[in-house]
């Protein structure tokens, strides 16, 4: 076990919830391993105008001009490399000027290693001149796909979801020994889930009905209404648990469909802290294919119904889940009722998807990353 003097700083950026959730899972795993760990959301330590722009610009673009985002993203990804290109140098210089607090955070906490769950952190660190030896840095790539933005100079270890991502990084010039296939870190609680009957009892759900967990946080209001309209028309004994996150707008939309009785019963929840328990109780999860939510579902052995993927990374995530037999894609939403009923009727197919999800899932990913960082970067027992 590491000594209490071993300190790890985990850096995220709150563009969506996945990068932060991954960082929180890692922080918990490091603490469970006996290390000192601290999670910092970099955007909380940047200039307010930059913070607002960085958080909002991407989502505005993918919602309004997704084809443009896809084109730009693919263009930027044509020549993946860790080398400091002119474009990367300019971007890093701007980001460093706006992230002025990070050096002070590092000096106060004095970590032995940095772990990034977003590529903003390595950009901030790039080219900084420090009086002490450079800190070892690791990146945890939070999708089943690695865009060239994740390739950064000075990264000692990359932790990735699947073997294909490792192959891609190696083909882009990353030394093979620096890439570890661990899965995407999720809450360590996913490694010790209760039985389904116990989870349902704790949540007040019936044992003799199918349960669909609708993770609605990333959906648009119109999309959520369309999904719930389809579910409400289904003639099947189904409990629908809707989690809307922190969005009051989505909560209001979902509440219009709340139904305590009938063939389909709908309950609405806002922000929750017991996602592992809710996934343990469910039969199916319906969600956008974000890297973290998808990894949580896989860790719980849950088949996925995928809706409304964003360009690039979520499209890539959907492809991996579909190729591995753990998911179905619902496009357009008007076919949701048809697809869901057929899946519920074909129990052997549902069980095959559960098995595929379990094969692809890594409930212990956070601990695997923590062990590798402590052993290979902090204690250097496994460093080549």
């Amino acid at each position: 076990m590491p000594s209490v003097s071993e300190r790890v700083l985990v850096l995220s950026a709150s563009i969506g919830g996945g990068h932060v959730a991954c960082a929180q899972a890692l922080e918990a795993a490091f603490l469970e391993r006996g290390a000192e760990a601290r999670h910092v959301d970099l955007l909380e330590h940047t200039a307010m105008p930059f913070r607002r722009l960085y958080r909002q610009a991407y989502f505005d673009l993918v919602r309004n001009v997704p084809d443009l985002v896809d084109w730009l993203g693919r263009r930027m990804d044509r020549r993946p490399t860790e080398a400091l290109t002119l474009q990367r140098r300019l971007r890093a210089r701007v980001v460093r000027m706006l992230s002025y607090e990070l050096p002070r955070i590092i000096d106060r906490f004095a970590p032995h290693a940095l772990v990034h769950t977003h590529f903003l952190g390595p950009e901030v660190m790039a080219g900084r001149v420090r009086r002490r030896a450079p800190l070892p840095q690791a990146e945890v790539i939070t999708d089943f796909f690695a865009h060239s933005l994740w390739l950064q100079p000075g990264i000692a270890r990359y932790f990735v979801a699947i073997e294909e991502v490792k192959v891609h990084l190696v083909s882009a010039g990353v030394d093979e020994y620096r890439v570890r296939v661990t899965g995407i870190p999720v809450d360590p609680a996913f490694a010790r889930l209760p039985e389904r009957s116990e989870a349902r009892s704790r949540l007040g759900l019936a044992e003799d009905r199918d349960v669909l967990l609708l993770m609605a946080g990333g959906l648009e209001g119109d999309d959520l209404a369309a999904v719930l309209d389809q579910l409400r028309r289904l003639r099947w004994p189904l409990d629908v648990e809707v989690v809307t996150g922190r969005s009051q707008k989505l909560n209001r939309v979902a509440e219009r469909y709340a139904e305590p009785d009938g063939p389909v019963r709908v309950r609405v929840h806002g922000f929750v802290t017991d996602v592992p328990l809710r996934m343990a109780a469910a039969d199916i999860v319906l969600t956008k294919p974000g890297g973290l939510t998808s990894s949580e579902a896989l860790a719980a052995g849950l088949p996925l119904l995928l809706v409304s993927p964003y360009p690039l990374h979520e499209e890539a995530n959907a492809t991996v889940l579909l190729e591995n037999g753990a998911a179905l894609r619902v496009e357009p939403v008007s076919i949701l009722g048809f697809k869901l009923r057929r899946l519920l009727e074909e129990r052997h197919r549902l069980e095959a998807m559960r098995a595929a999800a379990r094969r692809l899932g890594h409930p212990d990913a956070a601990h695997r990353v923590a062990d590798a960082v402590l052993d290979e970067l902090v204690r250097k027992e496994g460093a080549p």
Side-chain angles (χ1 to χ4, degrees):
M1 293 291 290
S3 70
V4 294
S5 63
E6 293 170 334
R7 295 178 298 280
V8 179
L9 186 62
V10 185
L11 301 175
S12 71
S14 49
I15 298 99
H19 304 289
V20 171
C22 178
Q24 291 170 338
L26 288 169
E27 181 184 34
F30 280 116
L31 291 172
E32 287 185 12
R33 289 298 190 253
E36 291 186 53
R38 180 184 174 190
H39 163 231
V40 172
D41 177 0
L42 281 173
L43 287 190
E44 294 301 321
H45 299 276
T46 57
M48 179 65 75
F50 175 78
R51 189 186 318 166
R52 289 176 175 170
L53 176 65
Y54 208 83
R55 279 178 176 161
Q56 197 59 39
Y58 172 73
F59 294 106
D60 286 345
L61 287 171
V62 294
R63 289 164 181 162
N64 297 314
V65 283
D67 291 342
L68 176 61
V69 172
D70 185 69
W71 180 82
L72 285 173
R74 292 182 186 279
R75 185 173 181 82
M76 292 173 64
D77 198 39
R78 287 183 303 174
R79 299 182 184 88
T81 176
E82 289 181 299
L84 275 175
T85 62
L86 176 60
Q87 180 188 43
R88 178 170 286 174
R89 289 177 188 275
L90 292 173
R91 189 171 65 238
R93 185 171 298 175
V94 172
V95 169
R96 286 200 302 273
M97 288 190 297
L98 295 166
S99 303
Y100 49 85
E101 284 191 43
L102 182 58
R104 290 197 289 270
I105 293 170
I106 291 174
D107 287 336
R108 286 195 298 267
F109 188 65
H112 296 98
L114 301 179
V115 179
H116 304 278
T117 66
H118 190 275
F119 48 78
L120 177 64
E123 286 189 321
V124 174
M125 294 299 297
R128 286 202 179 276
V129 178
R130 300 184 53 77
R131 287 171 291 181
R132 63 175 65 92
L135 282 169
Q137 299 182 72
E139 269 191 3
V140 179
I141 297 176
T142 54
D143 287 294
F144 297 83
F145 159 76
H147 192 275
S148 61
L149 290 171
W150 284 100
L151 285 160
Q152 300 279 349
I155 301 299
R157 293 291 184 274
Y158 291 92
F159 297 99
V160 301
I162 54 175
E163 195 71 31
E164 286 92 327
V165 179
K166 177 178 180 178
V167 170
H168 174 66
L169 293 182
V170 172
S171 73
V174 179
D175 297 319
E176 186 173 0
Y177 75 82
R178 290 196 286 132
V179 187
R180 300 285 185 272
V181 181
T182 57
I184 298 171
V186 295
D187 189 327
F190 278 97
R192 45 183 184 269
L193 293 177
E195 294 295 325
R196 184 178 299 165
S197 57
E198 179 188 343
R200 290 190 178 185
S201 175
R202 289 163 63 179
L203 292 171
L205 292 165
E207 186 68 31
D208 60 346
R209 292 167 64 89
D210 289 307
V211 176
L212 182 143
L213 178 62
L214 171 50
M215 300 297 288
L219 293 175
E220 292 294 299
D222 290 345
D223 291 336
L224 176 57
V227 165
L228 289 170
D229 187 60
Q230 281 284 308
L231 293 173
R232 187 172 60 178
R233 298 175 186 216
L234 193 67
R235 291 294 172 255
W236 191 272
L238 181 70
D239 284 342
V240 178
E241 295 284 287
V242 186
V243 176
T244 59
R246 300 183 187 276
S247 172
Q248 295 183 0
K249 176 183 176 182
L250 291 176
N251 195 269
R252 288 193 297 270
V253 170
E255 284 290 355
R256 298 203 304 262
Y257 294 86
E259 177 57 67
D261 301 305
V264 177
R265 303 190 302 216
V266 179
R267 296 196 307 185
V268 180
H269 312 274
F271 177 76
V272 299
T273 57
D274 57 355
V275 171
L277 179 66
R278 294 181 183 278
M279 288 198 172
D283 294 289
I284 303 171
V285 62
L286 191 154
T287 181
K288 288 172 60 63
L292 257 293
T293 301
S294 298
S295 296
E296 289 172 339
L298 297 175
L302 272 182
L304 299 99
L305 295 177
L306 306 177
V307 294
S308 307
Y310 287 146
L312 292 176
H313 63 292
E314 287 194 355
E315 287 284 358
N317 293 344
T319 296
V320 169
L321 297 169
L322 294 168
E323 284 182 348
N324 284 273
L328 295 177
R329 185 161 178 167
V330 179
E331 187 178 356
V333 174
S334 57
I335 64 173
L336 170 59
F338 170 78
K339 279 202 165 184
L340 177 57
R341 184 181 181 95
R342 188 165 67 175
L343 181 59
L344 292 171
E345 289 173 342
E346 298 174 357
R347 307 306 285 194
H348 65 284
R349 188 180 179 204
L350 188 60
E351 189 54 44
M353 291 177 67
R354 287 194 188 107
R358 287 191 290 268
R359 286 194 298 270
L360 200 56
H362 291 280
D364 61 342
H367 283 131
R368 294 176 69 184
V369 171
D371 288 342
V373 169
L374 292 172
D375 288 342
E376 299 179 18
L377 301 185
V378 176
R379 299 159 73 190
K380 298 183 174 59
E381 292 179 356

